[in-house]
Amino acid sequence: MYLIRLDDASEFMDTKNWDEMEQLLDFYNVKPIVGIIPNNQDKNLINAYKRDVEFWSKARRWQEKGWTIALHGYNHVHITDSGGINPVNLRSEFAGVRLKEQRDKIANGIRIFEKHGINAEVFFAPFHTFDMNTLEALRIESNIRVISDTIARDIYRSGEFYFVPQQSGRVQKLPFKVVTFCCHPNTMEDKHFKRLDRFIEKNRDKVGSFEELSFKDRGLDVYDKALRWSYFLWRSVMAKLRVG
């Protein structure tokens, strides 16, 4: 199954691009996972876009039409250079941060959501980076037990949490049971929308929603570990080539 994940929804976003994304997904009746930043303080976003006074109304509309809402961190500001337990990037709002501060972030984010009538079923951290303290903060301060992130070929469980893997930043055929494509509508260009449109049209029967997922008590197996090892090895090599 293919899942569409939309990152960086907030009061400061490219409303034109988000409207185009909503229209495209509605045309195919695709229900994505959408990550909302509760208290966006990321200067790259708030300086780029005007505040959308209708944002929380839009978020409620997404929820009402069956889109799955994810808590996408708290303020989207990286404060450490840690990759945590999913080192896709070496910067983080959460990884390397003490538990009390992470608990405050999660609790305050949930409080903002509740104020606006939003219920988060999933969590994914800004920059894909988090640590065991993040999971503990979620366990204590929320009812969220599903993480959209990490590399694997299928959903797996670790402790109290289920992990729905997120393997690619662009739509493409991949030989895994569950694949999540991470899209950033704010920065998408016309060619990206066209690629997404073509992919969904050709693979509509395989594009599903969060509600269709099957959560079984499966742990990581040798194939998942090999996939994860090769993925991070590839990222390390590519990073060295870029520096060189």
Side-chain angles (χ1 to χ4, degrees):
M1 180 188 294
Y2 295 127
L3 298 173
I4 305 297
R5 181 182 118 175
L6 309 180
D7 282 32
D8 299 347
S10 79
E11 294 174 288
F12 298 92
M13 64 183 189
D14 188 320
T15 55
K16 180 178 179 295
N17 275 15
W18 278 87
D19 288 346
E20 183 172 353
M21 176 63 78
E22 185 171 1
Q23 291 169 18
L24 190 160
L25 296 180
D26 283 352
F27 179 81
Y28 292 105
N29 193 30
V30 169
K31 302 182 188 305
I33 301 170
V34 55
I36 296 177
I37 308 166
N39 180 29
N40 191 351
Q41 296 177 20
D42 185 337
K43 291 182 179 180
N44 291 325
L45 295 172
I46 63 179
N47 291 336
Y49 310 110
K50 292 181 180 179
R51 182 172 178 269
D52 180 6
V53 297
E54 300 295 327
F55 172 73
W56 292 106
S57 295
K58 290 180 182 179
R60 286 190 294 272
R61 183 180 73 234
W62 296 338
Q63 183 171 258
E64 289 165 4
K65 70 169 65 178
W67 289 21
T68 298
I69 306 298
L71 180 67
H72 186 33
Y74 177 60
N75 58 27
H76 210 271
V77 176
H78 84 268
I79 54 177
T80 76
D81 297 323
S82 175
I85 58 178
N86 189 50
V88 174
N89 299 290
L90 296 180
R91 61 185 187 277
S92 188
E93 180 186 343
F94 287 88
V97 177
R98 61 197 180 101
L99 177 59
K100 182 182 184 306
E101 185 174 346
Q102 294 206 45
R103 286 184 60 180
D104 289 343
K105 286 174 177 285
I106 299 301
N108 290 334
I110 294 293
R111 192 173 298 115
I112 291 171
F113 274 19
E114 290 176 344
K115 174 185 174 182
H116 293 287
I118 301 298
N119 175 51
E121 300 181 68
V122 178
F123 174 86
F124 56 85
F127 321 110
H128 304 274
T129 48
F130 59 98
D131 60 14
M132 295 304 294
N133 277 347
T134 316
L135 300 181
E136 180 67 2
L138 286 165
R139 187 189 68 79
I140 296 170
E141 302 293 346
S142 79
N143 294 320
I144 297 172
R145 295 296 182 270
V146 178
I147 309 297
S148 169
D149 245 322
T150 70
I151 304 300
R153 61 189 179 90
D154 194 4
I155 298 169
Y156 65 95
R157 182 173 179 175
S158 179
E160 295 185 29
F161 289 86
Y162 289 96
F163 293 82
V164 180
Q166 191 275 297
Q167 302 97 329
S168 179
R170 66 186 182 94
V171 289
Q172 57 184 310
K173 288 190 175 182
L174 291 172
F176 310 132
K177 188 170 183 180
V178 174
V179 176
T180 305
F181 300 120
C182 176
C183 301
H184 291 80
N186 288 325
T187 56
M188 287 176 66
E189 300 174 5
D190 185 58
K191 62 183 179 181
H192 302 129
F193 283 107
K194 287 180 178 177
R195 181 186 179 93
L196 177 60
D197 192 339
R198 289 193 300 268
F199 183 86
I200 296 177
E201 183 180 21
K202 292 179 181 179
N203 301 277
R204 181 61 190 92
D205 60 325
K206 297 179 182 178
V207 179
S209 68
F210 178 80
E211 298 302 325
E212 298 174 78
L213 294 176
S214 177
F215 292 92
K216 299 177 181 178
D217 290 346
R218 183 190 84 92
L220 287 170
D221 60 25
V222 63
Y223 300 105
D224 296 310
K225 293 175 182 178
L227 176 64
R228 182 172 296 190
W229 178 84
S230 61
Y231 174 80
F232 286 113
L233 176 63
W234 171 78
R235 286 190 65 89
S236 175
V237 170
M238 293 304 294
K240 290 178 181 178
L241 288 175
R242 285 194 294 270
V243 172

